[in-house]
Amino acid sequence: MKIGEFHGPNRKLVGRTIWHFDVVESTNETAKEMLEADLEEGLVIWADRQAAGRGRQGRAWASPKGGLYASTILRPKEPHAWVLGLLMGMPVVKALRHFGVFAGLKYPNDAVYQNRKIAGILSEGVYRGDTYHVVVGIGVNTNVDLDKFPPDVQASATTLKREVNLFVANDEFLDYLLNQMDDVYSRYLNTRIEFLLKDYRGQCTTIGKRVSATTSKGTITGRAYDIATNGALVIMDDANAKHEFVEGMLKVLV
Ligand code: BTN
């Protein structure tokens, strides 16, 4: 149920309007159900809890009360869902750092602190008629205790509450996050994507590390080397051959 509406009139596009729900299945699904060509670009669907939160690669995203779950509707001219999902990792990490967790950005867009995941992004591109929309869904483990997560998640996750001795309200976190996302999106609209991908590359802690990447085609082991213009991770294998990796399982080895 919708329980509130907020406005950020100083923002350019992202987060000028925010619809607040108590519980939804998934904010990405709610956003997709509402998509119409005349829907305000930058509209944010924010929920206190998700009954069926979704992660990348068909995984579930545990979404207990206390965490932050929000999806933003964008309408870029190009089908850039994947690249926008990468770029929006930067505002998430910036917000976490602002509120006291010195998180890093693991490819593609996981915010990680001391090898534990604290936030994730699911960016989906969808056509409605001829209009292409991107729904950027962000989940941040803000005010949650680790024991609220399923046991397999507990071992590899952390939360803002666990790492920082200061209460940060979700509306405060969201407010800061949306300001940063708005900046990144306006740069996306006004600059060449290569420049933003260079920024992303500089912030992505996976670059330079030894990784093993598994896809349906097999496993490549080598050094994470660059970000291609399509947003793929370029991996240089031990025979100096370059491979592009997008979705699959990525392990950082050192
Ligand atoms: C991942 O790292 O696997 C991505 C997690 C994305 C979770 C967010 S929470 C808000 C939005 N709604 C969803 O169902 N998923 C995303």
Side-chain angles (χ1 to χ4, degrees):
M1 193 179 74
K2 188 173 163 196
I3 54 174
E5 178 165 331
F6 303 93
H7 294 273
N10 295 330
R11 296 185 186 123
K12 290 179 273 304
L13 274 172
V14 175
R16 288 180 59 84
T17 303
I18 301 155
W19 289 356
H20 186 196
F21 291 75
D22 50 359
V23 53
V24 297
E25 295 280 297
S26 152
T27 54
N28 271 36
E29 292 310 314
T30 305
K32 286 199 274 182
E33 280 160 20
M34 296 183 339
L35 290 182
E36 278 166 33
D38 62 351
L39 191 77
E40 181 185 298
E41 186 177 21
L43 178 71
V44 176
I45 305 296
W46 167 34
D48 292 336
R49 190 161 69 76
Q50 299 184 115
R54 294 193 299 111
R56 284 188 292 110
Q57 298 178 276
R59 287 182 301 241
W61 183 259
S63 309
K65 207 170 159 44
L68 178 65
Y69 314 104
S71 299
T72 303
I73 295 162
L74 302 175
R75 220 172 287 125
K77 289 201 182 69
E78 305 287 324
H80 276 163
W82 180 256
V83 164
L84 281 166
L86 292 185
L87 298 180
M88 291 307 173
M90 297 193 282
V92 171
V93 165
K94 192 159 178 191
L96 284 164
R97 292 183 179 191
H98 178 79
F99 289 106
V101 177
F102 203 75
L105 182 52
K106 181 187 174 228
Y107 185 86
N109 45 24
D110 293 349
V112 174
Y113 180 68
Q114 293 180 340
N115 280 325
R116 288 168 173 267
K117 183 156 160 175
I118 187 163
I121 300 182
L122 175 65
S123 179
E124 300 181 277
V126 268
Y127 280 97
R128 288 285 183 273
D130 288 340
T131 311
Y132 181 73
H133 306 258
V134 174
V135 175
V136 182
I138 299 184
V140 189
N141 302 336
T142 46
N143 300 301
V144 209
D145 289 314
L146 219 47
D147 61 15
K148 295 284 183 303
F149 292 111
D152 56 319
V153 175
Q154 284 181 32
S156 60
T158 192
T159 76
L160 193 74
K161 186 175 176 188
R162 182 172 181 262
E163 304 298 346
V164 181
N165 219 347
L166 169 81
F167 175 75
V168 182
N170 278 342
D171 57 350
E172 226 182 304
F173 192 98
L174 183 62
D175 191 57
Y176 186 91
L177 175 64
L178 293 176
N179 287 342
Q180 304 306 319
M181 288 173 69
D182 191 38
D183 281 356
V184 168
Y185 193 56
S186 81
R187 284 174 58 214
Y188 163 83
L189 294 175
N190 295 307
T191 337
R192 278 177 38 207
I193 202 154
E194 288 86 350
F195 295 136
L196 278 161
L197 284 170
K198 280 280 164 283
D199 282 358
Y200 170 88
R201 184 189 185 279
Q203 293 189 28
C204 178
T205 51
T206 311
I207 299 291
K209 300 236 172 81
R210 216 176 143 69
V211 295
S212 96
T214 305
T215 63
S216 52
K217 291 188 204 145
T219 298
I220 314 158
T221 303
R223 197 165 65 88
Y225 176 77
D226 202 2
I227 303 295
T229 43
N230 62 359
L233 181 69
V234 183
I235 299 171
M236 176 108 84
D237 72 16
D238 297 336
N240 282 350
K242 287 182 190 167
H243 304 264
E244 287 194 0
F245 166 83
V246 184
E247 275 279 38
M249 201 185 63
L250 184 71
K251 266 201 225 152
V252 177
L253 301 175
V254 275

